[in-house]
Amino acid sequence: MRTTEHLVKLARQLSTTAERLPGAGLVQKEYEIIEDALLQSMHQRMKRAVSRSAESPVALPPPANSDNIDIAEGRVGLSPGQRLQSIMAEALEQTTEQALSDWAHRILDQLLPDEARLLSAFSSGDSYAVIGVSASRSITGPREILLSNISSVGKAAQVKARELLPSYIARLKTLGLIERRGPSNSLELDYQILESDTRVQQALNEAQAGNYSRIRTERGTIKLSATGNKLWQICTQHKSN
């Protein structure tokens, strides 16, 4: 007999296939009903498993509500199994809007003020010049990144700790909020200004002094990703409400 997890996976595969068939909207609604029932079964099974554990019982928090702080406080002292059970209980009650709101809050919890400035600059939809320095230790050796994320966006966003800009950009990339693309001819002047940056010149000089081969500057552009745009939409929508 298939486990509940296998049935959930199968239902999702069928849903993906059904999207290409006539009447996909109706099929999708039926799938969501089935998935909710399966998730409910998983939740009940976990609840029974936790109740049989040898751990001291701890009262579970109430069902999900709109106050994220209350929910987080309610999880203090829970075992890992009980916390997962609590999260699954929230998932069963949660709407799409609530799920997006929780995701946005989690991302915002990780942002520094300077990084928020950068997001605001990227929200215009503009692409910004970004360069780095790469080289290899031999003619046939692998290319190494010696410097990265030197960009013109720092000035546009009025970043306070400008020396931390490469780190800010790296973090925003890791969070999936911005993406790097190829160079743009329209940003030629910006590239030339960045290539005269002290850090870039220092990296080039150190590479030459270290007998690196194939030393070059790497040009590109960075802009808001689809995920970053979604976050910005959620935040501005809530701000206006």
Side-chain angles (χ1 to χ4, degrees):
M1 180 179 295
R2 292 181 180 273
T3 64
T4 305
E5 292 88 344
H6 288 157
L7 290 174
V8 170
K9 182 177 180 180
L10 178 60
R12 288 171 177 164
Q13 290 174 342
L14 291 174
S15 174
T16 301
T17 302
E19 290 178 354
R20 299 190 292 268
L21 300 176
L26 179 60
V27 173
Q28 181 65 23
K29 289 181 180 179
E30 294 296 327
Y31 154 70
E32 290 174 356
I33 294 174
I34 294 173
E35 184 180 44
D36 283 344
L38 292 171
L39 288 174
Q40 180 69 47
S41 174
M42 291 173 64
H43 171 57
Q44 292 298 329
R45 189 178 64 184
M46 177 171 290
K47 186 176 180 180
R48 289 194 297 270
V50 171
S51 66
R52 290 196 300 268
S53 69
E55 298 173 318
S56 300
V58 180
L60 293 178
N65 54 55
S66 59
D67 193 337
N68 291 315
I69 297 177
D70 287 346
I71 293 174
E73 290 179 347
R75 290 179 182 154
V76 174
L78 295 180
S79 69
Q82 289 169 325
R83 185 171 181 183
L84 178 58
Q85 178 190 341
S86 173
I87 294 172
M88 289 186 67
E90 290 177 36
L92 292 169
E93 299 290 335
Q94 205 174 45
T95 65
T96 300
E97 182 178 8
Q98 290 170 337
L100 289 172
S101 178
D102 281 355
W103 168 77
H105 277 291
R106 178 57 57 87
I107 295 296
L108 293 172
D109 285 343
Q110 302 177 68
L111 292 185
L112 296 168
D114 265 348
E115 292 167 344
R117 288 175 177 270
L118 289 170
L119 274 188
S120 180
F122 283 120
S123 69
S124 65
D126 292 336
S127 295
Y128 292 89
V130 62
I131 70 170
V133 175
S134 69
S136 58
R137 294 185 181 274
S138 64
I139 296 179
T140 59
R143 184 168 291 279
E144 299 179 20
I145 302 299
L146 306 180
L147 181 69
S148 62
N149 298 330
I150 304 300
S151 176
S152 58
V153 70
K155 182 177 180 180
Q158 298 183 355
V159 167
K160 297 299 183 180
R162 199 71 59 85
E163 68 275 13
L164 295 178
L165 180 61
S167 177
Y168 293 153
I169 293 175
R171 278 172 42 82
L172 293 177
K173 285 181 182 177
T174 299
L175 291 172
L177 301 179
I178 62 174
E179 59 187 13
R180 176 170 177 144
R181 296 187 177 182
S184 172
N185 293 332
S186 64
L187 298 175
E188 178 62 31
L189 179 59
D190 288 341
Y191 290 129
Q192 293 180 16
I193 293 174
L194 291 175
E195 287 167 352
S196 65
D197 185 280
T198 301
R199 290 166 295 181
V200 175
Q201 291 301 313
Q202 181 178 351
L204 291 172
N205 291 336
E206 289 179 353
Q208 292 173 353
N211 293 320
Y212 277 84
S213 300
R214 298 185 295 163
I215 304 170
R216 72 185 185 196
T217 56
E218 304 278 357
R219 293 183 173 188
T221 55
I222 46 177
K223 63 177 298 183
L224 201 65
S225 66
T227 300
N229 187 56
K230 185 66 176 179
L231 176 67
W232 189 259
Q233 288 179 349
I234 292 172
C235 293
T236 53
Q237 174 186 343
H238 287 192
K239 182 178 178 180
S240 61
N241 288 342

